[in-house]
Amino acid sequence: MKTSIAFALIGSAAAFAPVQQGRVNTAIAGDARSPDGLGVDPGPLDLFDPLGLVEDADSFPRRRAVEIKHGRIAMAAFIGMMVQELGITFPGSLDLAGDVPFSSVLDDGMGFAALAKIPTLGLAQIALFGFLAETVAMPAGEYTGGPQNLPGGYDGSPPFIPGGYPNQIEDVDARDRALNVEIQNGRGAMLGVFGCMCHSMLDSCDHHFFYPITHN
């Protein structure tokens, strides 16, 4: 779990690291049924919105920013979980006394059971990181930003937290496709991480969510 968190932190830092450029206000040319033109599945789901959230134009920017942020963290976390499934963890212990080795956190599963093994101070550190991320690095109230003022973009806090990706995609069609790919992959990752956390707690699978692969 600690490795998952570490990968999430690295992924978050990489997502917002970059080159300062002059802001370009570029309109998104996407599906007109979505308030920001994004998030419409090109497959069978199409515009999947059973609750009619797209009709609430005032709160939609916040919902989109939250979705993109959670998707980015989930994608990084899923990679971290796969690495741990291979038995790769940090050396040493979670606590100063050396009573909780990193490898022992996964003994009863990589999901919710692993959280219970993290010392209280470790959980406090995670909460502190989340607070700083939500207030400084990736402000919760900043729904668009970056050089092109796009959903999920951040202006950063120079000189320590630059805003925007390097090598901005200027072609509108290519950029919109990349943004949609990120949203769709993020949605899949959020479901995947939750599914893996539940699956790894099953005794019948020996607490491995890749059981058919790792045990055959």
Side-chain angles (χ1 to χ4, degrees):
M1 181 57 68
K2 275 287 189 177
T3 306
S4 296
I5 295 169
F7 270 91
L9 307 191
I10 293 171
S12 297
F16 309 112
V19 177
Q20 292 294 324
Q21 303 180 25
R23 178 178 292 252
V24 178
N25 190 6
T26 307
I28 291 179
D31 194 307
R33 294 174 296 169
S34 173
D36 61 2
L38 300 173
V40 179
D41 180 28
L45 288 179
D46 195 45
L47 179 62
F48 185 74
D49 183 33
L51 299 180
L53 298 178
V54 296
E55 298 176 5
D56 187 353
D58 293 334
S59 65
F60 186 85
R62 176 185 175 278
R63 296 180 192 278
R64 176 68 81 210
V66 169
E67 178 185 36
I68 293 174
K69 180 186 294 185
H70 288 178
R72 288 170 176 168
I73 294 173
M75 286 187 281
F78 188 80
I79 297 298
M81 295 177 78
M82 288 195 295
V83 170
Q84 289 181 102
E85 185 74 358
L86 297 174
I88 302 173
T89 61
F90 287 128
S93 301
L94 276 167
D95 60 341
L96 296 177
D99 297 330
V100 187
F102 281 101
S103 57
S104 69
V105 175
L106 309 179
D107 288 347
D108 297 328
M110 194 178 297
F112 302 102
L115 283 173
K117 292 198 171 187
I118 299 177
T120 303
L121 183 58
L123 294 174
Q125 290 174 327
I126 294 172
L128 177 61
F129 170 82
F131 173 77
L132 293 175
E134 289 287 300
T135 57
V136 181
M138 301 168 282
E142 187 177 330
Y143 307 143
T144 62
Q148 300 188 61
N149 197 32
L150 298 172
Y154 295 92
D155 294 332
S157 182
F160 303 108
I161 305 172
Y165 290 94
N167 305 317
Q168 291 282 312
I169 301 175
E170 301 294 343
D171 180 82
V172 176
D173 292 334
R175 183 201 61 204
D176 289 357
R177 180 185 183 281
L179 290 172
N180 274 311
V181 166
E182 179 186 34
I183 290 174
Q184 301 293 354
N185 287 349
R187 290 169 175 171
M190 285 186 280
L191 292 172
V193 166
F194 180 74
C196 288
M197 291 179 70
C198 294
H199 191 76
S200 68
M201 295 184 68
L202 299 178
D203 292 333
S204 60
C205 293
D206 195 25
H207 309 302
H208 289 272
F209 59 85
F210 284 145
Y211 187 87
I213 298 175
T214 56
H215 289 68
N216 286 302

